[in-house]
Amino acid sequence: GALEHELHHQSSSRNVGARPVNAANTLSVGDYATLDLGVRYRFRIGSAPATLRLRLLNATNTFAWKAYAGGAIQPVEPRRASITLAADF
């Protein structure tokens, strides 16, 4: 059957509470929340079905620290965008 144009959106949020960095709980990193947004557009290129995806991760550009076992910390990834196009020829 014929593929009609379709537009879909998505969003997700992640909420992380404050976490201790060391076993003695004398150092901790604060809580944070991030928001991811996306749009998917399905259409045809000639007779080939295609999908265009736009994603914006950490849309609010939240700066925070992630804590890992063993006392390691790492900054939350900054805002980033991606665009992909896939087609079945």
Side-chain angles (χ1 to χ4, degrees):
L3 174 69
E4 298 297 323
H5 295 268
E6 294 179 15
L7 183 65
H8 299 273
H9 68 278
Q10 67 181 39
S11 63
S12 64
S13 64
R14 180 175 180 183
N15 299 295
V16 179
R19 297 181 181 262
V21 175
N22 60 8
N25 291 330
T26 58
L27 181 62
S28 64
V29 294
D31 60 334
Y32 67 92
T34 58
L35 174 66
D36 299 337
L37 303 171
V39 175
R40 181 181 73 212
Y41 178 57
R42 294 179 51 182
F43 60 103
R44 289 193 175 277
I45 300 174
S47 62
T51 303
L52 177 67
R53 295 178 194 268
L54 308 169
R55 294 186 67 202
L56 185 60
L57 305 176
N58 191 4
T60 58
N61 204 29
T62 297
F63 178 83
W65 293 97
K66 297 187 278 186
Y68 296 95
I73 61 171
Q74 178 181 359
V76 170
E77 293 280 336
R79 179 187 305 129
R80 58 205 178 277
S82 66
I83 300 172
T84 58
L85 174 63
D88 295 327
F89 291 100

